[in-house]
Amino acid sequence: MFKMINFGSEETPKFHAVVTITVNGETREVIPAFTDYSFKRKNFEKDKLFKSVDKTKILPTLFCFAESRIFIDEGILLHDYTGRELVNLQDIQIPVMVYLDKADNMNLFGLLNEPLPSVIIPCESVAEAYQKVATTAYLSQGASKDDWVGLGGIVSKDELLIQIRQFGNKYEIGGTTAQGYFGLSANTSLLQSKALVMESSTLLGEHRTFEQAENLFKAMVQAFGVRAAQQTRYVKAINTCISQFNMATIMEALKNIGATEKLQIEKSKCDDKIACLQSLIIEQATLLKHSKE
């Protein structure tokens, strides 16, 4: 946790946030400094899930710092973790080190036990320091909704989520689209809660089996092609049609989609594709329904 140390006097206090780090086995206290180019940290104050997260499950990480000298020499304004400006550094007895943002630990200050494992990154200029930050950020990756589907399934042992992830992997489609083929639409917050706090509650609502989802996907591929079947808007449209009729009728309607109908949808404007698709399928489903009356 941060310590607030007064580097001024009682009359003119100057408090700054101090942390303990370890570099090459040596433990030292430093003031982590930030600039106007530092990443904006996530605010967890109103995040209900954050309070339930087991902080001991965080994977090991390495904090990166650069010497403050190059920033001072180039006139870059520095401030501490609390936002207080860092000036007259010669009057501060503890080293000021500029934190180099990393996706895996930028939100971990104050959460991990100290000393924080760290490394001092040699940089000849501010540009070089932030180029290293930029390169690392570009090659870093956060969890997508596809990933949260899988994580939520494997952590909470939710068989449905595991099947949805397997379905998405098998047919190379995203998490939202894969859920759509199962007739579901779980938001990311729910998926995160299942992964982070091992939420055991099952997804609510009726859903299709893996076999039913697979049959629907294959019917979509037959009707509109693989590329279309992998798109969220197509499965959303088909689910709307199923809700108005039933899956058996819509599956049969998809068999009646020919080259003319496909061309009609392909030529429609992007915003109109869903409406056009729904209209086309509903028309075919209505014709089928009347033919059986």
Side-chain angles (χ1 to χ4, degrees):
M1 297 293 291
F2 281 106
K3 290 189 298 185
M4 297 303 297
I5 296 181
N6 183 10
F7 294 93
S9 63
E10 290 186 6
E11 294 77 18
T12 55
K14 187 166 66 173
F15 284 92
H16 290 300
V18 176
V19 298
T20 303
I21 66 173
T22 180
V23 179
N24 295 327
E26 177 189 348
T27 299
R28 65 178 82 169
E29 287 188 329
V30 300
I31 298 176
F34 304 84
T35 75
D36 290 342
Y37 306 99
S38 297
F39 295 172
K40 185 176 181 180
R41 297 185 297 273
K42 190 172 182 179
N43 186 350
F44 292 103
E45 286 184 6
K46 297 181 181 179
D47 191 324
K48 295 179 181 178
L49 181 59
F50 175 75
K51 298 175 182 178
S52 303
V53 172
D54 184 353
K55 313 305 187 297
T56 66
K57 296 295 190 283
I58 298 172
L59 291 171
T61 186
L62 189 65
F63 288 79
C64 296
F65 295 93
E67 299 284 351
S68 58
R69 174 188 52 79
I70 59 172
F71 293 83
I72 296 169
D73 289 348
E74 295 189 33
I76 301 297
L77 180 68
L78 301 179
H79 53 84
D80 72 2
Y81 186 82
T82 65
R84 293 184 176 90
E85 187 176 347
L86 287 161
V87 295
N88 300 323
L89 300 191
Q90 68 276 5
D91 298 332
I92 298 177
Q93 299 80 24
I94 292 178
V96 174
M97 306 295 294
V98 178
Y99 169 70
L100 300 181
D101 308 81
K102 285 176 64 190
D104 68 332
N105 59 33
M106 60 179 290
N107 291 311
L108 298 186
F109 283 104
L111 291 181
L112 299 182
N113 292 328
E114 299 181 15
L116 303 177
S118 305
V119 61
I120 309 302
I121 305 298
C123 301
E124 295 297 324
S125 66
V126 172
E128 182 185 359
Y130 277 117
Q131 185 180 31
K132 291 179 178 180
V133 170
T135 303
T136 303
Y138 177 75
L139 295 173
S140 298
Q141 182 173 328
S144 66
K145 191 168 185 179
D146 308 34
D147 299 320
W148 284 117
V149 169
L151 291 170
I154 198 66
V155 173
S156 66
K157 295 181 171 58
D158 189 309
E159 187 60 32
L160 177 56
L161 285 180
I162 291 174
Q163 288 187 1
I164 291 173
R165 180 56 192 261
Q166 290 173 342
F167 182 85
N169 288 344
K170 182 175 181 179
Y171 293 109
E172 299 181 350
I173 56 179
T176 300
T177 307
Q179 285 189 71
Y181 278 105
F182 283 77
L184 292 171
S185 182
N187 60 41
T188 303
S189 295
L190 173 60
L191 299 172
Q192 289 175 334
S193 69
K194 293 180 77 66
L196 294 171
V197 298
M198 300 181 71
E199 176 61 55
S200 59
S201 61
T202 57
L203 297 180
L204 301 177
E206 295 182 3
H207 62 270
R208 300 176 194 123
T209 65
F210 190 99
E211 183 181 6
Q212 289 172 326
E214 193 167 49
N215 289 338
L216 180 58
F217 178 79
K218 290 177 179 178
M220 289 283 281
V221 170
Q222 185 68 30
F224 304 109
V226 174
R227 186 175 178 182
Q230 292 172 326
Q231 296 180 36
T232 301
R233 58 186 175 185
Y234 275 79
V235 73
K236 281 185 175 180
I238 208 70
N239 279 333
T240 299
C241 297
I242 290 173
S243 68
Q244 294 183 31
F245 292 86
N246 55 63
M247 186 163 171
T249 301
I250 297 305
M251 291 282 283
E252 194 172 348
L254 288 172
K255 295 178 182 178
N256 295 334
I257 303 297
T260 301
E261 288 79 10
K262 290 180 187 177
L263 186 61
Q264 180 182 341
I265 293 173
E266 289 173 1
K267 286 187 174 181
S268 63
K269 293 182 179 179
C270 184
D271 294 341
D272 298 331
K273 282 193 187 299
I274 292 179
C276 181
L277 179 62
Q278 288 176 188
S279 176
L280 180 63
I281 297 173
I282 288 174
E283 179 184 352
Q284 293 294 332
T286 302
L287 290 174
L288 284 170
K289 183 179 178 180
H290 291 333
S291 68
K292 295 178 181 180
E293 290 178 350

